[in-house]
Amino acid sequence: LSVSGEELGLWGSAFFAENPTWPLEKLVGNVNTDMIGRGGPDAALGQVMLTPSYKHAQYSSMARTAAEAAQVIGLEVLADDKFFERSDHYNFVKKDIPAVFFCCAGEHADYHQVTDHAELLDDEQMEKTARLAYWVGRSVADAPVRPSVLGRHTDWFGEPKSKRAR
């Protein structure tokens, strides 16, 4: 699904979530990528931000799969949930469809500016992140069960946080 109007209030994904052309109960997960080719000035190459992270209530089996696959691909997954409600996957999460969102770490000076040109993108970063998104989508498609929300955890692969620890 390709949508538009994100910066105007997630218009495209909101419209689809409210007027789906495919029954929502048949959608098992959402893999969202945005800004995967260029991070902020403090971001190291090979870092990818993933939300919902293990710190988030919507942390899911999809995010855990992403963290596992990132290790194989050679990406460092950062737990950063500041964009959780600011990108198109959020309208699917509101409909109880688990999601993962990938983007580069940090915001660069050209973010949403006319000076953000294609020659400034990092091809290797984009390729690795696209492979990661593909692998997560493929894993979800091939799985015998639907993805599930796991809730807050101690780390990407650790135990759930107890109610007392929250």
Side-chain angles (χ1 to χ4, degrees):
L1 177 67
S2 180
V3 295
S4 63
E6 181 191 55
E7 286 79 12
L8 299 172
L10 311 180
W11 287 0
S13 60
F15 184 85
F16 181 87
E18 294 302 321
N19 305 278
T21 56
W22 187 264
L24 289 180
E25 62 273 7
K26 291 187 177 188
L27 298 181
V28 298
N30 178 274
V31 179
N32 186 16
T33 60
D34 193 359
M35 302 184 318
I36 63 170
R38 185 175 176 209
D42 297 328
L45 291 177
Q47 290 181 325
V48 63
M49 191 268 309
L50 169 60
T51 190
S53 76
Y54 63 86
K55 300 174 185 180
H56 200 281
Q58 290 295 319
Y59 177 59
S60 69
S61 57
M62 289 175 66
R64 179 174 278 171
T65 296
E68 291 169 349
Q71 291 178 330
V72 175
I73 292 170
L75 289 170
E76 177 188 1
V77 177
L78 303 178
D80 189 343
D81 297 309
K82 71 180 176 184
F83 292 119
F84 180 74
E85 295 179 7
R86 289 178 47 194
S87 196
D88 289 305
H89 62 276
Y90 185 61
N91 284 310
F92 294 90
V93 171
K94 290 192 306 187
K95 297 289 187 179
D96 297 321
I97 299 167
V100 292
F101 172 56
F102 303 107
C103 74
C104 286
E107 293 177 14
H108 52 78
D110 300 308
Y111 179 66
H112 285 169
Q113 302 299 315
V114 297
T115 54
D116 194 5
H117 296 289
E119 63 269 7
L120 300 173
L121 297 173
D122 182 308
D123 296 337
E124 183 178 349
Q125 177 80 23
M126 287 191 303
E127 178 191 355
K128 285 184 176 183
T129 307
R131 287 180 187 275
L132 179 60
Y134 168 80
W135 180 252
V136 172
R138 180 66 188 254
S139 296
V140 168
D142 290 345
V145 296
R146 296 169 75 94
S148 61
V149 173
L150 304 173
R152 292 181 176 92
H153 275 58
T154 56
D155 60 39
W156 293 110
F157 310 109
E159 298 298 317
K161 283 191 172 182
S162 68
K163 290 182 181 177
R164 185 175 278 161
R166 290 184 190 166

